[in-house]
Amino acid sequence: MELLKERIRKDGIIKPGNVLKVDSFLNHQMDIDLFEEIGKEFKRLFADCPINKILTIEASGIGIACIVARHFHVPVVFAKKSQSKNIEGEVYSTQVQSFTHGRTYDVMVAKKFLSPEDNVLIIDDFLANGCALLGLSQLVFDSGATLCGAGICIEKGFQVGGEMIRAAGVRVESLAIVESMDPETGTVVFRDDEK
């Protein structure tokens, strides 16, 4: 998606340790006009799927998932990273290691919000090492629902996550796949850039 790639080039900040900061438009301050275009693109990419539920993980994926869900006219469920008094009844749970935060979370979804009748599209802002996507996929499988695929805004193609998830049989559609990035020059190279 050229619009997203242009925005990454313009406003993304590359930090040492393979960190790409896009907090000025994607996952802290949110550019809703950009999200609208992202929603349209995921609707186009997954138009062949009978999606009736969007699943994401708190917190960065929620805003994007909500706009995507509007295009599918379906609800959003987000996996919570901590037990709260608001989650009642039984839950599906799994552990997810965060690349960004360098820690492991127990994530959960109330069983009443995922069922065998659901056709789920996972939406997230980043795919790096694949742990969040694997964890969300596990919640879908545990519920008996059908996983239609995963829509990712930015995939770090130089990390193992995308390859691992695709090898597991999950359809992954990433709008921008970063092949390399240089904190010295601020240069980002995308997979489909012309050589």
Side-chain angles (χ1 to χ4, degrees):
M1 181 179 175
E2 285 304 315
L3 182 64
L4 178 58
K5 290 191 287 187
E6 287 169 17
R7 193 62 183 273
I8 293 166
R9 284 187 183 105
K10 178 176 173 270
D11 295 325
I13 298 169
I14 303 164
K15 299 279 197 175
N18 290 325
V19 174
L20 175 60
K21 285 182 58 81
V22 290
D23 59 350
S24 68
F25 62 93
L26 195 68
N27 56 16
H28 193 69
Q29 176 173 270
M30 297 179 280
D31 182 334
I32 301 305
D33 290 336
L34 176 63
F35 283 21
E36 183 68 21
E37 296 306 313
I38 288 169
K40 285 179 191 173
E41 184 63 4
F42 283 135
K43 174 64 174 166
R44 184 187 72 78
L45 290 168
F46 289 97
D48 60 326
C49 300
I51 293 160
N52 70 332
K53 206 155 279 183
I54 303 288
L55 177 65
T56 193
I57 191 166
E58 68 176 354
S60 298
I62 295 174
I64 299 161
C66 288
I67 302 297
V68 172
R70 188 170 71 195
H71 287 272
F72 285 93
H73 304 286
V74 300
V76 174
V77 176
F78 67 91
K80 294 189 176 225
K81 290 182 180 173
S82 60
Q83 182 69 43
S84 75
K85 292 179 181 176
N86 292 340
I87 295 184
E88 56 188 25
E90 295 183 52
V91 297
Y92 299 110
S93 66
T94 190
Q95 289 193 324
V96 170
Q97 183 181 2
S98 170
F99 173 81
T100 308
H101 297 106
R103 61 178 284 202
T104 300
Y105 295 94
D106 291 316
V107 298
M108 63 203 74
V109 169
K111 287 189 175 181
K112 65 183 177 182
F113 296 128
L114 280 180
S115 72
E117 291 77 39
D118 289 323
N119 292 289
V120 179
L121 173 62
I122 295 172
I123 295 290
D124 210 356
D125 59 342
F126 270 96
L127 171 56
N129 60 17
C131 290
L133 190 45
L134 278 177
L136 291 173
S137 299
Q138 188 61 52
L139 295 175
V140 174
F141 297 140
D142 289 350
S143 73
T146 300
L147 179 56
C148 296
I152 304 296
C153 292
I154 303 170
E155 178 181 338
K156 292 180 180 175
F158 54 88
Q159 290 185 251
V160 300
E163 187 177 315
M164 178 180 61
I165 300 294
R166 289 178 180 95
V170 177
R171 176 181 172 190
V172 179
E173 299 285 354
S174 297
L175 302 184
I177 301 176
V178 176
E179 276 301 321
S180 65
M181 49 192 193
D182 186 340
E184 298 288 318
T185 64
T187 304
V188 177
V189 177
F190 296 97
R191 179 164 293 172
D192 54 0
D193 283 349
E194 293 181 13
K195 304 289 183 217

